[in-house]
């Protein structure tokens, strides 16, 4: 399949309609953003999965693969697709199990020189205070009433409950809560699974990382974002935990039945969906928003724990350390957004699976503080490698439904990674570079070995070169806590 | 062989084997929990009753694994042993009654977090008198 990709511009490739020989046929082309290296690295299975998305009813323009694309279940990670609000679909499969998995960056005014001597104490404290990994337990146990508030008010509930300040909400995508979440569309199983897990990191590729701002590429935007070279920041990567996972599982079943009811011809069963106008589609959307809001609340509670840990280690208040949130982005989500298609404003259901919103300067959904320069886009590198802050652009609106990549993207299976690497050796090697890693087990470190991921710098050069988001700052890891 | 893991870049895929449906379901449960925890050291101290129904055997396996995952997180238990007491079929509806045994979840015995059971490549096939299930888990 990959050999059919045609270069159509700088860092842009297109897979024409007709590339897929099996039924159902492609309704639109597929595009891939990336350098030649990215194309070489992409698995054929991932490109083939991208064509799965192009066969779905009501898809608009094309399906987009981002440079961090890799083989997933049903569709690749690093995919964006938009669907007409009348003719299109809403898909639980294409949003994924970890609803509103996302990234938050918390700034500090602490220079590296001040933080460095306390790095080991800091990461041990963070690992202790933020429950991480399978089997960890949160001290916070939500009551049914609190969970109801979390579902509808997201991070707003957390702030009102004492986890952070009101200003925090201004610096989160959607202000930390999507409107229209309906708790009655969420099962009791999901609620029971969600109640004990608020304020926990989870596992897999989720992490909490202390970073140093290593270089700035755009001083004006960095100033607007309040990023200064040499200062430390904290990156948090996690989602809606078992609450969101259960909503996804419940709606896989419901939408699987809807596929049959509405006669949708799916290329892969995991892409279960329903017409956007159907009860099933809208029910999922309302339940998904509850999951989105849970994730916002989850990251807000952990932000509070992170600030408390810094206060205890550095003996200063979090306000004195300038621990403001830069931004919080969602990278597994379905959104109802307005986009211009062939000169006409249309409302679309945009699915971002392993992709980040990248809205441009002047957009009404970008917080006022950043409106002159565009939305901050937060990209996590793999363990031990760099992460980035980018800025959203008009080019993303024109070309990729206001979206860009989300991370480095795996290039090796977990099974191979465990065979190829030893967790304790990686930990020691990173420590020799001055990077502390703490995890629940060496196996987790091996699974997430830097060598199991693509080179994040190449991913960033791809999106920067294509102009769908622009480099602002690069951060390097100092210490990481893995779930 | 009871189960084996296959290569997929982003997630975990396994094949479980069984001479009959009950054995297949037990081995699929063990495969999934061998990802989540160190099943060899998890003691069968606590029991959770599991009843699931579906329209076909494949669907029943999906329900069984999804239910085990849900119960494990709600009850905060790692499971290491699985018992299938009964699989019944009536008017096309398949029902499984079984039990999952384990101990309180702990970081010490934790493995990799499983988010959900997917429909991707999900199937049960019959090969040389064995039932073979292919399952992909989201990690």
């Amino acid at each position: 399949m990959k050999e059919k990709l045609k270069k159509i511009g700088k860092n842009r490739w297109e897979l024409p309609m007709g590339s897929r020989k099996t039924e159902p046929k492609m309704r639109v082309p597929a595009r891939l953003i990336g350098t030649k290296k990215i194309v070489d690295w992409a698995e054929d299975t991932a490109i083939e999965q991208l064509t799965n998305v192009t066969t779905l009813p009501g898809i608009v323009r094309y399906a987009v693969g981002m440079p961090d694309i890799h083989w997933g279940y049903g569709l690749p990670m690093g995919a964006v697709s938009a669907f007409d609000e009348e003719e299109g679909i809403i898909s639980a499969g294409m949003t994924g199990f970890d609803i509103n998995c996302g990234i938050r960056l918390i700034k500090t005014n602490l220079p590296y020189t001040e933080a460095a001597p306390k790095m080991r104490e800091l990461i041990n404290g963070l690992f202790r205070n933020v429950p991480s990994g399978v089997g960890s337990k949160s001290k916070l146990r939500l009551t049914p009433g609190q969970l109801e508030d979390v579902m509808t008010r997201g991070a707003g509930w957390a702030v009102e409950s004492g986890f952070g300040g009101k200003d925090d909400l201004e610096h989160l995508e959607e202000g930390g809560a999507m409107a229209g979440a309906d708790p009655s569309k969420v099962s009791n199983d999901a609620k029971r699974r969600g109640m004990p897990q608020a304020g926990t990191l989870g596992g897999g590729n989720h992490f909490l990382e202390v970073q140093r701002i290593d270089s700035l590429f755009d001083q004006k935007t960095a100033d607007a974002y309040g990023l200064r070279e040499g200062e430390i920041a904290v990156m948090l990567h996690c989602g809606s935990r078992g609450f969101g996972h259960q909503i996804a599982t419940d709606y896989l079943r419901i939408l699987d039945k809807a596929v049959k009811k509405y006669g949708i011809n799916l290329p892969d069963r995991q892409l279960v969906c329903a017409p956007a106008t159907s009860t099933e589609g809208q029910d999922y959307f309302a339940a998904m928003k509850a999951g989105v809001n849970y994730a916002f609340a989850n990251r807000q509670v952990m932000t509070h724990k992170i600030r408390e840990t810094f206060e205890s280690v550095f003996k200063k208040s979090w306000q004195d350390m300038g621990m403001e949130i830069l931004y919080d982005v969602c990278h597994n989500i379905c959104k109802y957004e307005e986009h211009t298609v062939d000169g006409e404003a249309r409302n679309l259901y945009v699915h971002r699976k392993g992709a980040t919103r990248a809205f441009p300067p002047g957009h009404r959904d970008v917080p006022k503080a950043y409106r002159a320069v565009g939305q901050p886009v937060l990209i996590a590198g793999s363990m031990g490698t760099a992460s980035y802050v980018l800025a959203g652009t008009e080019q993303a609106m024109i070309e990729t439904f206001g979206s860009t990549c989300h991370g480095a993207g795996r290039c090796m299976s977990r099974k191979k990674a465990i065979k190829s690497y030893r967790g304790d050796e990686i930990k020691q090697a990173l420590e020799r570079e001055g990077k502390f890693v703490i995890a629940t087990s060496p196996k987790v470190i091996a699974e997430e070995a830097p060598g199991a991921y693509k080179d994040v710098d190449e991913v960033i050069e791809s999106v920067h070169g294509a102009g769908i988001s622009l480099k602002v700052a690069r951060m390097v890891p100092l210490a990481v806590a893995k779930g | 062989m009871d189960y084996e893991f296959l290569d997929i870049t982003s997630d975990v895929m396994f094949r479980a084997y069984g001479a009959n449906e009950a054995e297949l379901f037990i081995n699929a449960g063990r495969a999934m929990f061998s990802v989540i925890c160190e099943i060899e050291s998890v003691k069968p101290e606590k029991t959770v009753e599991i009843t699931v129904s579906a329209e076909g055997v494949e669907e029943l396996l999906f329900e069984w694994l999804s239910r085990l995952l849900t119960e494990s997180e709600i009850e905060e238990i790692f499971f290491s042993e699985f018992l299938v007491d009964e699989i019944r079929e009536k008017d096309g509806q398949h029902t499984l009654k079984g039990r999952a045994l384990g101990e309180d979840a702990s970081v010490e015995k934790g493995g990799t977090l499983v988010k959900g059971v997917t429909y991707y490549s999900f199937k049960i096939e019959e090969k040389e008198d064995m039932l073979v299930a292919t399952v992909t888990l989201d990690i």
Side-chain angles (χ1 to χ4, degrees):
Chain A
M1 186 67 83
K2 218 164 81 171
E3 70 285 352
K4 292 177 185 159
L5 280 169
K6 289 184 183 145
K7 189 162 186 181
I8 55 165
K10 187 182 180 190
N11 297 357
R12 290 166 176 80
W13 307 76
E14 186 164 286
L15 199 65
M17 281 169 67
S19 298
R20 180 191 173 91
K21 295 297 171 209
T22 51
E23 289 291 333
K25 292 276 189 285
M26 291 168 78
R27 293 170 192 255
V28 291
R31 285 198 178 178
L32 179 65
I33 302 290
T35 58
K36 174 71 170 51
K37 259 191 201 168
I38 290 290
V39 173
D40 290 344
W41 289 342
E43 306 127 305
D44 214 43
T45 41
I47 304 299
E48 194 156 342
Q49 284 188 332
L50 194 59
T51 71
N52 285 345
V53 186
T54 67
T55 69
L56 298 174
I59 186 164
V60 174
R61 296 183 73 190
Y62 38 68
V64 188
M66 289 298 166
D68 45 350
I69 191 167
H70 60 274
W71 179 23
Y73 50 88
L75 84 165
M77 287 302 288
V80 180
S81 51
F83 295 85
D84 184 82
E85 65 175 329
E86 298 289 335
E87 306 296 323
I89 52 92
I90 296 177
S91 170
M94 282 165 44
T95 305
F97 283 86
D98 202 357
I99 295 167
N100 189 6
C101 184
I103 297 181
R104 173 178 292 210
L105 192 75
I106 304 159
K107 301 179 283 185
T108 80
N109 58 22
L110 294 172
Y112 170 66
T113 44
E114 184 181 337
K118 298 200 166 176
M119 202 49 63
R120 197 182 285 271
E121 182 190 348
L122 181 64
I123 200 66
N124 285 337
L126 289 168
F127 192 66
R128 204 168 43 242
N129 294 338
V130 178
S132 311
V134 190
S136 65
K137 287 170 189 168
S138 179
K139 282 182 193 148
L140 175 67
R141 302 264 148 165
L142 297 176
T143 63
Q146 286 172 325
L147 180 63
E148 197 91 356
D149 281 348
V150 166
M151 284 189 265
T152 51
R153 288 161 48 219
W157 168 82
V159 166
E160 280 171 35
S161 305
F163 301 105
K166 277 227 162 70
D167 291 351
D168 289 346
L169 302 179
E170 289 170 25
H171 298 118
L172 314 177
E173 191 168 323
E174 298 285 340
M178 269 181 101
D182 184 350
S184 75
K185 305 298 179 195
V186 176
S187 72
N188 280 334
D189 277 345
K191 290 172 184 168
R192 289 176 67 205
R193 208 165 154 182
M195 281 191 290
Q197 295 188 358
T200 63
L201 189 68
N205 60 0
H206 292 173
F207 66 81
L208 193 170
E209 187 168 273
V210 184
Q211 306 173 333
R212 174 169 58 85
I213 300 171
D214 172 60
S215 38
L216 300 177
F217 305 97
D218 171 353
Q219 192 62 52
K220 182 186 153 212
T221 308
D223 286 345
Y225 291 170
L227 298 172
R228 288 169 293 272
E229 206 172 313
E231 289 182 349
I232 69 166
V234 183
M235 184 173 269
L236 182 58
H237 177 213
C238 63
S240 50
R241 307 288 289 105
F243 182 71
H245 308 165
Q246 188 65 41
I247 291 171
T249 298
D250 294 335
Y251 278 91
L252 279 189
R253 296 187 189 99
I254 294 166
L255 299 186
D256 190 46
K257 290 194 173 77
V259 164
K260 293 176 190 107
K261 178 177 164 187
Y262 297 104
I264 301 169
N265 187 6
L266 285 186
D268 187 306
R269 192 178 172 198
Q270 181 61 25
L271 300 183
V272 289
C273 56
T277 52
S278 68
T279 305
E280 294 90 337
Q282 287 301 319
D283 282 355
Y284 167 68
F285 199 45
M288 181 213 74
K289 288 173 177 173
V292 167
N293 294 345
Y294 184 101
F296 280 132
N298 193 32
R299 292 197 283 271
Q300 187 63 36
V301 171
M302 280 185 275
T303 298
H304 180 69
K305 302 269 178 212
I306 291 165
R307 285 168 171 164
E308 280 184 340
T309 309
F310 269 72
E311 285 181 335
S312 147
V313 171
F314 294 102
K315 315 291 181 215
K316 290 186 206 177
S317 73
W318 67 262
Q319 289 91 344
D320 284 346
M321 287 181 279
M323 293 188 72
E324 292 161 8
I325 297 164
L326 169 65
Y327 206 51
D328 179 307
V329 296
C330 322
H331 58 222
N332 272 3
I333 199 158
C334 175
K335 290 277 195 83
Y336 182 67
E337 292 173 355
E338 187 183 300
H339 289 274
T340 304
V341 181
D342 300 327
E344 184 195 343
R346 285 170 67 179
N347 292 319
L348 306 173
Y349 287 97
V350 179
H351 292 71
R352 297 191 179 95
K353 176 90 196 304
T356 314
R357 199 185 73 175
F359 278 0
H363 196 289
R364 62 172 183 263
D365 291 339
V366 175
K368 274 187 195 145
Y370 310 139
R371 207 163 286 162
V373 293
Q375 177 209 309
V377 173
L378 310 175
I379 307 296
S382 53
M383 187 175 62
T385 66
S387 294
Y388 285 84
V389 176
L390 312 176
T393 64
E394 194 55 43
Q395 194 61 33
M397 295 307 281
I398 294 168
E399 246 186 297
T400 54
F401 303 103
S403 316
T404 188
C405 62
H406 86 305
R410 287 192 80 91
C411 61
M412 184 189 282
S413 70
R414 287 181 160 81
K415 185 186 164 197
K416 265 193 193 146
I418 292 168
K419 272 193 180 169
S420 310
Y421 303 106
R422 283 182 51 114
D424 49 355
E425 285 175 8
I426 289 173
K427 186 178 158 85
Q428 285 161 14
L430 288 169
E431 283 194 11
R432 280 194 293 275
E433 295 172 25
K435 299 163 186 168
F436 300 110
V437 182
I438 186 162
T440 47
S441 77
K443 188 179 155 218
V444 168
I445 298 177
E447 281 185 347
E448 295 295 320
Y453 282 81
K454 292 179 197 175
D455 175 5
V456 68
D457 295 331
E458 192 70 22
V459 171
I460 297 299
E461 288 310 320
S462 294
V463 294
H464 181 85
I468 60 167
S469 47
L470 297 173
K471 290 191 289 184
V472 179
R474 180 178 192 266
M475 290 88 69
V476 293
L478 300 172
V480 56
K482 298 286 300 175
Chain B
M1 191 192 312
D2 296 338
Y3 56 85
E4 63 179 327
F5 290 93
L6 311 173
D7 260 336
I8 177 170
T9 311
S10 57
D11 299 287
V12 164
M13 190 185 268
F14 67 80
R15 249 186 222 134
Y17 301 87
N20 51 50
E21 286 172 7
E23 204 176 291
L24 181 74
F25 279 52
I26 288 167
N27 285 337
R30 289 181 57 217
M32 184 168 79
F33 276 87
S34 76
V35 176
I36 296 169
C37 60
E38 293 170 8
I39 54 167
E40 304 305 327
S41 63
V42 169
K43 296 181 192 79
E45 296 168 346
K46 292 187 170 182
T47 305
V48 176
E49 309 270 342
I50 308 275
T51 303
V52 286
S53 313
E55 281 174 8
V57 178
E58 265 182 16
E59 305 302 310
L60 193 68
L61 179 64
F62 181 86
E63 294 299 327
W64 162 251
L65 293 174
S66 296
R67 191 75 233 160
L68 289 173
L69 190 58
T70 301
E71 290 296 335
S72 161
E73 290 214 355
I74 288 174
E75 301 298 334
E76 298 180 280
I77 294 177
F78 286 154
F79 295 130
S80 57
E81 282 187 30
F82 306 90
L83 301 167
V84 172
D85 297 319
E86 182 184 39
I87 298 180
R88 228 168 0 123
E89 193 255 315
K90 196 184 172 197
D91 302 329
Q93 192 72 9
H94 297 250
T95 302
L96 180 155
K97 284 188 178 167
R99 283 164 287 164
L101 290 81
E103 66 174 52
D104 284 340
S106 62
V107 172
E108 293 71 33
K109 293 184 183 177
T112 302
L113 190 119
V114 172
K115 292 173 183 164
V117 182
T118 80
Y119 284 140
Y120 179 61
S121 301
F122 190 89
K123 62 186 170 206
I124 298 177
E125 299 162 291
E126 211 172 327
K127 282 183 188 166
E128 296 163 7
D129 298 332
M130 288 293 278
L131 291 171
V132 185
T134 307
V135 179
T136 308
L137 306 172
D138 184 23
I139 298 296

